[in-house]
Amino acid sequence: MQMNVFLWVAVALFAGLMFTRVFKAFHLNFPDVTAFLIAGLLIGPFVLGRLRMPGVGFHSFEELEQVSLLNDAALGFIAFSIGSEFRLSELKHTGKAATVIGILQAFVACILVDAALFVLHLIMGPDVLPLSVVITLGAIATATAPAATLMVVRQYKADGPLTRLLLPIVALDDAVGLVVFSVSFGIARAMQGGNLDMISIVLNPILEIAASLTLGSILGYIMAKLEKLFYSNSNRLSMTISFVLLTIALSYLEIPVGAATISFSSLLVCMMLGTIFCNMSEFSGDIMHRAEKWTAPLNAAFFVLSGAALDLGVFSTWQYVLVGVIYILFRSAGKYFGSREASRLMKCDQNVVRYLGITLLPQAGVALGMCSQAAVLGGTEAAIIRNVTLFSVLVYELVGPLLTRNALMSAGEIQPTPAEKKDRRRFETVR
């Protein structure tokens, strides 16, 4: 089994890297994230995995579960990197706008999806689309994929007003999403059981967020102090890696307190770790730069494995496809129009108003995490939530990174590559 785990990780990383070369050979100017996801689909259980050949793809989703630890580690480092975007020196300029936009666009997406699916619930009936599912999917719609956004920004070295506002919004978006989901899912479970439990609806979500921020702050403070004991950048990097892994491990804890339970969100804890560390440590800039290089293969493997985990079986039931299409359309509208109007309210740059909503479309890890929690509903409800979420993730992760790249390029924050400039000149000549 141990050999299989290493083999699967090696195959995933190799497939992802080679597929970026395939894209390059055919002059397909897609982000690397898209190449990794498509490579993952190919080596997943629905394509090469069906061949049942040793070392050629994943034969089942159970095999993918064997390497799920890698995904947890990757998400932890991604959240840590995003947390570093909350530097007080920069938040003085973007903090208020990022907070207002992050909250408003998340709520608009949730409300639009809830409204659209509620109408569909009335048309299709509660047996096909239960109200508890409607409420839960509306909450899941708030989440944005920080990993895909961050990787596109890093790959193309994007910089400008839109990029500097985007990363804090993505981080805040997931924090808001976790709160909305906790409350909405508490209501959905209460509806299913016929008993409104205020502890699960209100108290547990508040405890989770407060506990996550507190734990991340404590660990970030300790980490910043310990970094001063080392004079070697290599040792500082090792200390950073060990603290991120420790933070991920501690986030699995669940502490019962009377009728309530104190649990932690690994994303929030790791984000807070990065925020406190980068605001306290004078070495943070260099360490984050080194950590970015160290985690590059980890992130590549994460996206390939995410692509392999996408379940193509969701296309077999037309009801799931219909609900998924409605979910995608209204979530996209909520993200786009919510961020556009909020940006206008905050008097942001016109490029931010035009393109920010497009960059917030990708959805993956956080949404899938919410989907996993929703599995406790059981039966038809859990199946619908899982399949609709998988369907939307499949679409968003394949299209979202490309739209993010194009939006940043249209905003003038990504410079075209030499090949793209050549293609553009050729097109203008023909025209």
Side-chain angles (χ1 to χ4, degrees):
M1 183 60 71
Q2 288 180 343
M3 185 191 77
N4 286 344
V5 171
F6 287 116
L7 180 60
W8 290 328
V9 173
V11 168
L13 187 55
F14 180 77
L17 293 173
M18 293 307 296
F19 222 78
T20 62
R21 298 304 92 191
V22 171
F23 273 29
K24 182 75 70 175
F26 285 95
H27 303 288
L28 299 173
N29 295 316
F30 289 99
D32 286 348
V33 177
T34 306
F36 294 150
L37 288 164
I38 294 177
L41 276 174
L42 291 178
I43 66 172
F46 286 91
V47 187
L48 293 179
R50 288 187 178 274
L51 300 177
R52 297 286 175 178
M53 294 175 61
V56 180
F58 293 89
H59 302 161
S60 66
F61 290 110
E62 286 72 24
E63 290 184 351
L64 279 166
E65 284 294 321
Q66 299 295 323
V67 292
S68 61
L69 198 64
L70 186 71
N71 290 341
D72 293 341
L75 279 174
F77 279 101
I78 288 166
F80 176 71
S81 296
I82 291 178
S84 68
E85 298 300 324
F86 288 100
R87 294 180 185 272
L88 292 178
S89 57
E90 297 178 7
L91 287 178
K92 291 177 182 177
H93 305 289
T94 62
K96 184 178 179 180
T99 301
V100 172
I101 297 170
I103 293 173
L104 287 182
Q105 57 83 28
F107 275 105
V108 171
C110 177
I111 292 168
L112 285 186
V113 170
D114 273 338
L117 293 183
F118 179 71
V119 173
L120 202 60
H121 158 80
L122 296 177
I123 296 172
M124 301 175 73
D127 293 334
V128 178
L129 186 60
L131 194 56
S132 58
V133 172
V134 172
I135 294 172
T136 304
L137 286 175
I140 293 175
T142 59
T144 300
T149 303
L150 182 64
M151 198 158 183
V152 170
V153 169
R154 283 180 173 176
Q155 180 187 348
Y156 294 100
K157 297 179 175 61
D159 188 36
L162 176 56
T163 303
R164 288 191 287 272
L165 192 60
L166 169 62
L167 294 177
I169 287 176
V170 169
L172 181 65
D173 176 270
D174 288 326
V176 174
L178 289 169
V179 177
V180 174
F181 176 79
S182 297
V183 174
S184 298
F185 187 56
I187 295 172
R189 292 185 66 181
M191 291 176 61
Q192 187 189 50
N195 180 31
L196 286 175
D197 181 5
M198 295 308 294
I199 291 178
S200 61
I201 294 174
V202 178
L203 185 57
N204 282 344
I206 293 174
L207 285 175
E208 178 177 333
I209 292 170
S212 298
L213 296 179
T214 301
L215 179 60
S217 299
I218 294 171
L219 292 172
Y221 176 83
I222 296 172
M223 178 179 163
K225 292 299 182 182
L226 289 178
E227 293 282 0
K228 295 179 180 180
L229 299 177
F230 300 93
Y231 300 97
S232 164
N233 285 329
S234 297
N235 287 337
R236 288 173 183 154
L237 176 60
S238 298
M239 174 64 73
T240 302
I241 293 169
S242 68
F243 257 80
V244 175
L245 294 176
L246 173 64
T247 303
I248 296 169
L250 291 177
S251 67
Y252 289 118
L253 291 174
E254 290 189 353
I255 306 170
V257 180
T261 301
I262 297 177
S263 56
F264 303 91
S265 163
S266 61
L267 281 175
L268 280 181
V269 179
C270 289
M271 281 181 192
M272 200 62 185
L273 176 76
T275 299
I276 297 299
F277 171 68
C278 286
N279 280 287
M280 289 189 62
S281 175
E282 58 186 294
F283 315 113
S284 62
D286 180 70
I287 291 174
M288 296 304 298
H289 179 68
R290 290 173 178 269
E292 179 182 329
K293 293 182 178 180
W294 182 86
T295 56
L298 181 65
N299 293 339
F302 165 75
F303 281 106
V304 176
L305 294 172
S306 297
L310 295 176
D311 189 350
L312 299 182
V314 299
F315 293 106
S316 60
T317 307
W318 72 267
Q319 289 98 330
Y320 295 157
V321 175
L322 176 61
V323 176
V325 169
I326 297 297
Y327 173 91
I328 290 170
L329 290 176
F330 281 86
R331 176 184 178 271
S332 300
K335 290 287 181 180
Y336 179 77
F337 291 108
S339 60
R340 189 182 72 173
E341 296 309 313
S343 300
R344 283 179 176 169
L345 178 66
M346 300 308 298
K347 297 180 173 56
C348 294
D349 182 88
Q350 280 302 307
N351 281 333
V352 174
V353 174
R354 290 193 193 106
Y355 301 115
L356 177 61
I358 298 173
T359 65
L360 296 174
L361 295 183
Q363 187 175 49
V366 179
L368 292 175
M370 294 176 178
C371 175
S372 298
Q373 292 184 42
V376 300
L377 288 174
T380 305
E381 287 94 336
I384 296 173
I385 293 168
R386 178 178 180 275
N387 286 301
V388 170
T389 304
L390 286 172
F391 174 76
S392 66
V393 166
L394 176 64
V395 174
Y396 277 127
E397 283 298 271
L398 293 178
V399 178
L402 178 62
L403 293 176
T404 298
R405 189 206 69 156
N406 289 345
L408 291 172
M409 189 171 287
S410 298
E413 300 189 9
I414 290 179
Q415 298 305 314
T417 64
E420 289 171 331
K421 290 179 180 177
K422 184 177 179 181
D423 290 341
R424 185 178 297 177
R425 286 197 296 270
R426 186 186 300 120
F427 172 77
E428 291 174 351
T429 302
V430 172
R431 189 175 61 177

